[in-house]
Structures are given as C-alpha cells and as structure tokens.
Amino acid sequence: MASTDYTLGLHELGESCFAYLQPDGGWGWSNAGLVVGDGESLLVDTLFDLDLTAAMLDVMSPVVGAAPIDTVVNTHANGDHCYGNGEVVRRRPDVEIVSSTATADEMVEVPPAMLAALNQAPGEVGELFRSFFGEFHFDGIELVTPTTTFDRHLDIQVGGRLVELIEVGPAHTAGDTIVHVPDARTVYTGDILFIGGMPIVWAGPLSNWVAACDLMLALGVDTVVPGHGPLTDTAGIVAVRDYLEFVDAEASARQAAGVDAFDAARDIGRLLGHDERFKDWGEFGRIAVNVETVYRTLDPDHSTPDVVEQFRRMAQLEHR
C-alpha cells in the first residue's frame, strides 16, 4: 500500500487508485474510493450527507480534472454510502450511478427524510438517534437512485482499465458489492469490511459474509479499502472472517439451547470483550443485531425487534 496513514482526506494507493478516508470510521464515518483511467474516473460510494460529499469532491478535483467522474458505484444501500449521490449529479448531470439490483431496491426503504425525522424526534427516540447520527445533516437531501443495475457480476471499462463489480450479498445488507481493480491488485469492499470496528449484519446470513471474505482472499489483492476504518490488506479480511465465524458459532449454539437472543448477545459480548482478537474493536453494541440475524437465519419465525429497539439495545451494550 502506498499510503498507511489513517487521516481525513484523499490517499493515493498507487496505480491511479485512491481512497478517501473518514476517521474514526464509526457510525456514518465511511470511506470512498476513486479509480482513475484515461480521460475518465469511477467513484466508489458517496458520503452520508451533501456537505461531506461536496468536501470530498473538492479534494478530488485536481486528480479528476483531466479524467472526470463518469461513473459512481454504490456498494450498498446504507445512506453513508449513497446519500451524497445528488451532489455528484449536481456537478456531473450525466453521471452513471451503478449498483446491484438488490441495493437499488433496498435504497428507497430508508430515505434521508426518515433519518432526518428520527434525529429530530422528541424525547428518548431523538436523543437515541442523535447519539448515533447527530453529526450529519439529512435535511433537504433528495435520494438519487442508481441509473444502472446488475446482478452478480458486471465488468466496467474506466478509461481503458477493467473494474470488476462483484455482488456478494445478502450479507451486511441485501445486495453488497465489492469493487475489484485487477491491474492495481486493489479491492474496495464497501461494508463487507469494517476495520477496527465490529461488523454489523443487517441482512445475513453470516455464512454469506464469510464466503465473501473467502472470495476476496482468492482475488490476490495487496491493498484493501474497507467501508469503515483504516486501509488494510488480507490480514484485515481474515480478522473480519474470524469474527463472523465466532459469532455465528456462538449464537447458533445458544439458539439451539433456547437462550433469548438479547441474553445471548450479552453473553457473547462478554466473550468478545475478553478475546485478544476483538476486544479493542469499536461499536461493541452491534453484537445485538448480529445475534438477531443468526437467530432469524436459523428460525424464519423468529421475531426481530423493530429498528428503534435494535438501536436502543446497541446503545445499552455500548454503555456496558
């Protein structure tokens, strides 16, 4: 990797590939990527609001001056990877926005107005969501959805360079995509990788996510740009796979024993807190969502709490 500093801004990776990093990588502080070809560029993801995306595009402008951004890839439907689409379109009205079909379908389920309303809600609900997302500005964002969709695999030529889009979801969300740049031995993972923070498995099954990690390891990449956290290499992929396998096994055993899902999450959380591999990772409370996903995978009749309750439980565990 050409750059290893975990600082805000654009980092050159070599071979005309770049990463835009946003420490500390916690809730909403996502990364993006840029692949520059001959006369055109591809942007991997936008950011959580228009101001953040505008600042990123301003920083990128000297790099893309002779190679404008003609394509945006949204790796998945979470707003911190797509709510900024409108800012790109404002500057480049003919830009093509690409995602998997499942991502495009899921994107409309949580529009920016919904998060704006939750942040502004009175009482405990508003306080809860502001504790996660209070630093972001969702008012006035019009969701701009993909113009092109694909299933499983799509090859894109970016100024003479091959860029491979590989759908690996459902895993983190319904339609996760990784972006592979073979000539640079680089992969942009979206939220298939969180580095330094616990993954969150909204969709699952966890086995799909483990398979996605195995697929990335088989690509022969040197540089790995996660959806959140610092740049990594294959060691970061292995660490996330190990976490997912651990949680899947521990939650499955407790589900078979009839343990309540939240009790299981608290129990597994204690184990994680003493495991040298994971104890220093952030966003500890996500284990509550991950255990729910395992239970739901094993028993389709399992009733998962609504999203407000899930965030309430994560907040409770964060303050363990």
Side-chain angles (χ1 to χ4, degrees), residues 69-136:
I69 296 169
D70 287 337
T71 305
V72 174
V73 176
N74 292 138
T75 59
H76 62 289
N78 286 172
D80 53 341
H81 296 261
C82 67
Y83 280 1
N85 286 359
E87 179 61 21
V88 183
V89 171
R90 187 183 71 80
R91 300 181 184 212
R92 296 283 295 170
D94 296 330
V95 71
E96 182 179 20
I97 303 175
V98 183
S99 79
S100 69
T101 303
T103 289
D105 291 343
E106 187 177 27
M107 202 177 284
V108 296
E109 295 177 5
V110 185
M114 180 183 294
L115 283 183
L118 288 167
N119 268 358
Q120 296 164 11
E124 182 262 346
V125 170
E127 291 179 6
L128 174 66
F129 278 88
R130 285 191 296 275
S131 73
F132 287 94
F133 304 124
E135 296 180 83
F136 306 102

Side-chain angles (χ1 to χ4, degrees), residues 24-299:
D24 63 356
W27 286 98
W29 296 107
S30 57
N31 300 329
L34 183 69
V35 182
V36 180
D38 184 9
E40 61 180 327
S41 298
L42 178 147
L43 179 66
V44 182
D45 285 329
T46 58
L47 305 179
F48 214 176
D49 65 28
L50 300 180
D51 291 340
L52 290 172
T53 302
M56 175 181 71
L57 295 174
D58 288 345
V59 169
M60 290 179 175
S61 61
V63 177
V64 301
I69 296 169
D70 287 337
T71 305
V72 174
V73 176
N74 292 138
T75 59
H76 62 289
N78 286 172
D80 53 341
H81 296 261
C82 67
Y83 280 1
N85 286 359
E87 179 61 21
V88 183
V89 171
R90 187 183 71 80
R91 300 181 184 212
R92 296 283 295 170
D94 296 330
V95 71
E96 182 179 20
I97 303 175
V98 183
S99 79
S100 69
T101 303
T103 289
D105 291 343
E106 187 177 27
M107 202 177 284
V108 296
E109 295 177 5
V110 185
M114 180 183 294
L115 283 183
L118 288 167
N119 268 358
Q120 296 164 11
E124 182 262 346
V125 170
E127 291 179 6
L128 174 66
F129 278 88
R130 285 191 296 275
S131 73
F132 287 94
F133 304 124
E135 296 180 83
F136 306 102
H137 306 287
F138 305 120
D139 288 333
I141 300 178
E142 293 293 332
L143 182 64
V144 176
T145 55
T147 55
T148 300
T149 59
F150 72 98
D151 296 300
R152 308 319 305 168
H153 191 279
L154 179 66
D155 288 342
I156 296 179
Q157 290 292 325
V158 180
R161 306 182 69 179
L162 172 65
V163 176
E164 296 180 308
L165 309 187
I166 307 170
E167 185 181 17
V168 296
H172 170 62
T173 60
D176 305 285
T177 294
I178 62 172
V179 180
H180 178 218
V181 189
D183 68 3
R185 298 178 65 86
T186 295
V187 65
Y188 299 88
T189 74
D191 283 0
I192 291 298
L193 285 190
F194 293 77
I195 300 300
M198 301 285 178
I200 185 165
V201 194
W202 290 115
L206 275 67
S207 58
N208 274 10
W209 199 328
V210 170
C213 291
D214 289 336
L215 184 154
M216 290 189 294
L217 291 170
L219 292 175
V221 296
D222 297 323
T223 302
V224 179
V225 182
H228 294 258
L231 300 171
T232 188
D233 53 22
T234 54
I237 301 173
V238 171
V240 170
R241 183 186 64 184
D242 288 349
Y243 169 89
L244 295 165
E245 289 182 330
F246 177 84
V247 170
D248 205 8
E250 294 291 337
S252 294
R254 285 161 178 77
Q255 192 270 350
V259 178
D260 172 78
F262 194 33
D263 288 339
R266 284 188 285 252
D267 190 22
I268 297 168
R270 283 189 286 271
L271 296 178
L272 290 169
H274 292 91
D275 192 310
E276 289 297 326
R277 298 172 295 174
F278 315 121
K279 67 183 181 66
D280 295 326
W281 291 11
E283 292 75 57
F284 174 87
R286 291 172 177 172
I287 188 62
V289 172
N290 298 344
V291 171
E292 282 291 336
T293 298
V294 174
Y295 274 48
R296 194 170 60 250
T297 299
L298 295 170
D299 176 12

